[in-house]
Amino acid sequence: MTHRLLLLAWCCVLAVGMQAQTDDDWENTWRELDEQTDDEDLTDEDTYELLQQLAEHPIDLNRCDREDLEQLPFLSAQQVMDIVAYRQRYGPLRSLGELRMIRSMDYRQLQLLPYFVVAGEAPDSTHHFPRLATIGRYGRHKLTVAARVPFYERKGDRNGYLGYRYRHWLHYEFGYGDYVRAGLVGAQDAGEPFFKGGNGWGYDAYSYYAQIRKWKTIDNLVVGKYKLSTGLGLVLNNSFALGKLATLQNLGRRQHSLRPHASRSVADYFQGAAATLRLGRPLQLTLFGSYRPVDATLGDDGSIATIVTNGYHRTPTEMEKKHNAHQTAAGFSLGYQGGGLHAGVNGTFTHLDRRLSPNTKTLYRRHYAQGRNFVNVSLNYGYTRYRLSLNGETAIDGHGGMATLNALSYQPSGQLSLVALQRFYGYRYTTLHGHAFSEGGHVQNESGFYLGGTWQPLYGLSLSGYADVAYFPWARYRVSQSSWAQDYLAEVAYQRKAWTLKGRYRARLRQQDNEKKTALRRHNEHRARLTLGYKPDEHWASTTRWDGVRTADNDIEKGWMISENLTWKQQWWMLGLTAAYFDTDSYSSRIYAFESPLPGEFSFPSFYGKGMRLVFSGRASIGQRLQLHARLGHTRYFDRDVIGSGLQQIEGKSTTDLDLQARWRF
């Protein structure tokens, strides 16, 4: 009864509003441009977090420099240079429509940029870093509180979990332009204790940060928890990663990013301080230091068997793994850029207070990282000239293992772009902080070649695709000997007035052990997608989509899903409805579907079996400062009476969740 009253009260609040909301949803546009097709290539949650931060703090095109634009992961190196060159030649941009004059820009970037950049006013040549009094007086505060209310009970909620079944979090942030940011995040997963049972400070996970940018020789300074990436990610990247399709957008451009860790994730972050310094015009130096606890499964001798990154502390066993090891890390990145040439050297040193000792008796773990101390050093390099761009990084670890990643892109015209990418990750190369382009998910035990391109032969028509072939010299999970993998994707998109039609086909051909592990067998996966969109005006839009999958292993399995998404916007409110029906043979033929999340959330659920999915969402602005969000999701299965297993098991055929969020700016 309490749940029903809460839902009724929130719906009543959503029916009231006073003022238009000036920002728009960028998630649907990003989803259309970067939809993925399976769990191994999903849009990274950290990438989503980065885009959310940039949407809330858009870049001023008339004040920004090259480093500011390089924060946008969907821009190529040529496009970044062309935007800066256009402003230098023609002066300040009066409107975003001027971006259409830049030949290297295509319709994908032109669709996304308005969510993350602003233009209009000419910069003040006498502008300097603001005074503290100005920051305190004109800075803006933002407080976000959110909760998920489940209308069901898991087995662990009755007996097993240390906390209640509700998930909730809060995020406070203070900011002044792109100069100062400071914030605090507290997060609680369902089943985790709150102010008890090992969480005496309340929330299970906290993040805190303070950032200063463009102050004298300090280009960027972050104190607290932060994320950092250098080069192409072979040595250092816990910031974000893009999939193979998104690589067509930035054409393999290198990523240098230092930003606060403002999400609820407890994996892949640093805790301490990091700063990027300008050493004259061509030189830039980044230094960082970190000391943080990590979750770990310990062996009988007290060593670390596995570093745990899921962040769950719901049961006594999971709570025992919380913060039972500590990691110290430090490093640097020295870069040079001038005349189209860029080069840099990067280094990291990491120490664990317990020895890392994975079970190397298992063949595929034979060359996993081991020990207490880890060193990685790399050189990154590149050259951009007119429409040709080269980016690369070559790294070595403390034991002599090597890795290299190189990308070459060419844009002969504004309608055609090509990118080729080569990588070699030795099976003896190890890194604790590296994340880079790969098929296997690790910067280890892989060599391969990727070729992709995008062509716009006619206005409104876009053709894109890639081919990626990878070879794994050492054993992998479920593969006890050397193996190969192939990945092919083709996509066509056509837009005319209010209509958009898109088709995509992807084939992934891989090898796995047979049941007796005496030989390898093929595991082929084919996925297809058709999307029809209709958006006659800014008030409402419709998207119809069909997904199909066919997998061939021991048996052939098939699956499909059809979904409809409707959104209706007015001056101060928005309503959305998503309805889907799915029918797949098993989990192996599951289908992933991106669902428009609430701000600060990330939702990419999978569906298998037979059933339907309904999502109702709403947003309302109360004045200029308060924004309310709600989403009610319901999934019903037609082929089972029990959902899930273990402590996550739910007795029944359906699940219903209510997500609530309030954002107050003051």
Side-chain angles (χ1 to χ4, degrees):
M1 186 65 179
T2 303
H3 293 159
R4 294 181 179 179
L5 292 175
L6 182 60
L7 174 60
L8 178 61
W10 194 265
C11 291
C12 291
V13 171
L14 288 175
V16 181
M18 298 172 59
Q19 183 68 31
Q21 179 67 20
T22 57
D23 60 348
D24 203 351
D25 298 318
W26 58 267
E27 294 93 341
N28 290 332
T29 303
W30 176 258
R31 176 185 63 180
E32 293 171 0
L33 301 183
D34 192 43
E35 288 178 304
Q36 304 300 332
T37 54
D38 58 42
D39 56 335
E40 293 185 17
D41 215 14
L42 298 180
T43 299
D44 189 83
E45 184 171 0
D46 286 320
T47 306
Y48 187 88
E49 175 201 334
L50 170 65
L51 293 173
Q52 181 70 45
Q53 293 179 16
L54 292 174
E56 296 175 354
H57 305 276
I59 298 169
D60 188 337
L61 290 178
N62 292 327
R63 296 184 184 273
C64 69
D65 51 25
R66 176 182 53 80
E67 288 78 9
D68 293 324
L69 291 173
E70 286 179 345
Q71 296 180 77
L72 298 171
F74 51 82
L75 290 181
S76 68
Q78 183 63 48
Q79 290 167 337
V80 170
M81 293 181 62
D82 286 350
I83 293 174
V84 175
Y86 180 91
R87 187 184 64 191
Q88 292 174 345
R89 181 174 182 179
Y90 298 105
L93 284 76
R94 298 299 179 181
S95 71
L96 296 181
E98 292 187 55
L99 293 173
R100 298 181 181 274
M101 304 297 293
I102 301 176
R103 293 182 59 191
S104 62
M105 305 294 293
D106 64 28
Y107 85 99
R108 297 173 184 266
Q109 283 79 16
L110 292 174
Q111 282 183 290
L112 277 170
L113 275 172
Y115 297 105
F116 305 106
V117 300
V118 294
E121 296 185 4
D124 182 359
S125 60
T126 62
H127 188 78
H128 300 287
F129 188 86
R131 296 182 300 174
L132 290 177
T134 302
I135 295 173
R137 182 176 181 180
Y138 297 104
R140 293 292 180 263
H141 306 262
K142 182 185 70 175
L143 177 63
T144 303
V145 293
R148 166 169 289 185
V149 180
F151 291 80
Y152 52 84
E153 191 175 55
R154 298 181 178 90
K155 182 178 180 180
D157 297 327
R158 296 188 297 272
N159 183 20
Y161 289 152
L162 299 173
Y164 45 70
R165 64 180 186 267
Y166 307 103
R167 187 189 74 171
H168 54 92
W169 59 273
L170 64 83
H171 182 193
Y172 164 78
E173 181 173 280
F174 170 82
Y176 179 86
D178 60 351
Y179 297 102
V180 175
R181 287 179 63 193
L184 175 68
V185 180
Q188 194 79 12
D189 283 316
E192 294 177 337
F194 190 58
F195 280 110
K196 64 177 183 179
N199 287 337
W201 289 91
Y203 282 105
D204 180 72
Y206 285 97
S207 182
Y208 51 89
Y209 56 88
Q211 180 183 36
I212 296 176
R213 300 187 68 238
K214 302 179 181 179
W215 179 50
K216 297 181 179 180
T217 60
I218 297 178
D219 183 67
N220 195 356
L221 170 66
V222 181
V223 177
K225 295 187 178 182
Y226 59 92
K227 290 179 174 287
L228 179 62
S229 66
T230 62
L232 292 178
L234 299 186
V235 165
L236 182 58
N237 178 19
N238 61 10
S239 183
F240 62 94
L242 297 180
K244 296 179 181 179
L245 190 59
T247 299
L248 292 178
Q249 308 305 313
N250 72 355
L251 299 180
R253 174 172 61 85
R254 69 187 180 98
Q255 305 285 349
H256 182 89
S257 172
L258 170 59
R259 61 190 178 91
H261 175 50
S263 77
R264 302 182 304 281
S265 171
V266 299
D268 282 342
Y269 69 86
F270 291 125
Q271 181 174 265
T276 298
L277 311 173
R278 294 181 181 272
L279 306 180
R281 184 177 179 84
L283 292 177
Q284 182 174 274
L285 175 65
T286 298
L287 301 171
F288 77 94
S290 170
Y291 178 77
R292 55 157 295 194
V294 294
D295 293 0
T297 301
L298 303 182
D300 295 336
D301 59 354
S303 64
I304 300 173
T306 306
I307 295 177
V308 181
T309 59
N310 59 29
Y312 289 130
H313 306 115
R314 302 162 299 184
T315 66
T317 301
E318 292 176 345
M319 188 61 73
E320 289 176 359
K321 301 177 183 179
K322 184 177 182 179
H323 298 176
N324 53 12
H326 291 80
Q327 176 193 95
T328 303
F332 70 94
S333 175
L334 177 64
Y336 167 88
Q337 179 152 351
L341 176 68
H342 64 82
V345 57
N346 315 284
T348 64
F349 171 77
T350 305
H351 171 76
L352 297 172
D353 64 348
R354 296 177 183 267
R355 179 178 175 80
L356 181 59
S357 300
N359 180 15
T360 56
K361 293 181 180 180
T362 303
L363 188 62
Y364 73 88
R365 293 175 177 159
R366 182 73 52 82
H367 298 290
Y368 276 19
Q370 304 175 54
R372 290 176 178 265
N373 300 315
F374 306 87
V375 177
N376 294 86
V377 179
S378 74
L379 293 174
N380 65 268
Y381 39 84
Y383 182 73
T384 301
R385 178 71 174 178
Y386 190 49
R387 299 190 178 279
L388 185 68
S389 180
L390 169 68
N391 292 283
E393 184 178 14
T394 299
I396 186 171
D397 66 13
H399 303 286
M402 295 190 64
T404 184
L405 174 62
N406 301 277
L408 177 66
S409 65
Y410 180 54
Q411 291 181 274
S413 68
Q415 290 73 42
L416 177 64
S417 62
L418 301 171
V419 58
L421 189 148
Q422 170 271 335
R423 75 268 194 194
F424 168 78
Y425 309 148
Y427 61 83
R428 297 181 183 275
Y429 179 79
T430 58
T431 172
L432 296 184
H433 308 297
H435 298 280
F437 184 99
S438 70
E439 165 69 21
H442 303 282
V443 186
Q444 186 182 37
N445 186 34
E446 178 176 334
S447 61
F449 185 79
Y450 168 98
L451 179 64
T454 300
W455 182 37
Q456 300 177 56
L458 301 171
Y459 179 78
L461 177 63
S462 175
L463 307 174
S464 58
Y466 65 76
D468 184 49
V469 179
Y471 174 71
F472 311 98
W474 193 260
R476 300 192 301 148
Y477 177 65
R478 299 180 67 183
V479 185
S480 57
Q481 55 185 286
S482 59
S483 61
W484 53 262
Q486 301 175 51
D487 187 2
Y488 305 98
L489 181 141
E491 180 182 272
V492 57
Y494 180 69
Q495 184 173 10
R496 181 176 176 82
K497 296 182 180 179
W499 294 93
T500 301
L501 178 63
K502 182 184 294 185
R504 176 186 298 176
Y505 168 73
R506 185 178 189 181
R508 304 192 74 178
L509 316 177
R510 290 171 285 183
Q511 292 180 301
Q512 292 182 353
D513 285 330
N514 60 14
E515 294 181 355
K516 297 182 179 181
K517 296 185 179 182
T518 57
L520 297 182
R521 65 167 182 252
R522 291 184 177 232
H523 177 79
N524 298 339
E525 183 179 276
H526 303 266
R527 294 181 180 268
R529 173 175 297 165
L530 291 174
T531 305
L532 178 64
Y534 180 63
K535 188 175 182 180
D537 53 46
E538 62 180 7
H539 296 299
W540 76 281
S542 169
T543 302
T544 304
R545 192 173 77 180
W546 174 87
D547 285 277
V549 58
R550 181 182 185 274
T551 63
D553 200 335
N554 284 334
D555 301 311
I556 294 178
E557 297 188 3
K558 300 177 182 179
W560 60 274
M561 171 188 280
I562 187 168
S563 62
E564 176 67 30
N565 178 263
L566 298 172
T567 58
W568 187 18
K569 299 179 183 179
Q570 290 298 327
Q571 191 176 23
W572 53 268
W573 57 267
M574 182 276 291
L575 294 175
L577 168 64
T578 299
Y581 178 85
F582 53 91
D583 186 347
T584 78
D585 291 336
S586 72
Y587 180 77
S588 297
S589 54
R590 63 195 178 278
I591 294 178
Y592 284 80
F594 180 90
E595 295 181 354
S596 297
L598 303 186
E601 298 280 2
F602 184 80
S603 179
F604 223 128
S606 64
F607 301 95
Y608 67 95
K610 295 182 180 180
M612 62 179 296
R613 172 73 172 170
L614 293 174
V615 180
F616 300 91
S617 59
R619 181 187 69 198
S621 300
I622 312 299
Q624 295 182 337
R625 298 184 176 183
L626 181 61
Q627 190 176 84
L628 305 176
H629 298 258
R631 187 178 70 169
L632 183 67
H634 175 79
T635 305
R636 184 171 183 82
Y637 295 91
F638 305 136
D639 60 347
R640 69 196 71 173
D641 296 320
V642 175
I643 302 171
S645 60
L647 295 180
Q648 291 287 92
Q649 182 174 299
I650 301 169
E651 300 292 336
K653 296 177 177 289
S654 63
T655 63
T656 303
D657 292 280
L658 174 64
D659 290 291
L660 306 173
Q661 186 180 122
R663 312 185 84 192
W664 181 33
R665 304 175 190 268
F666 56 100

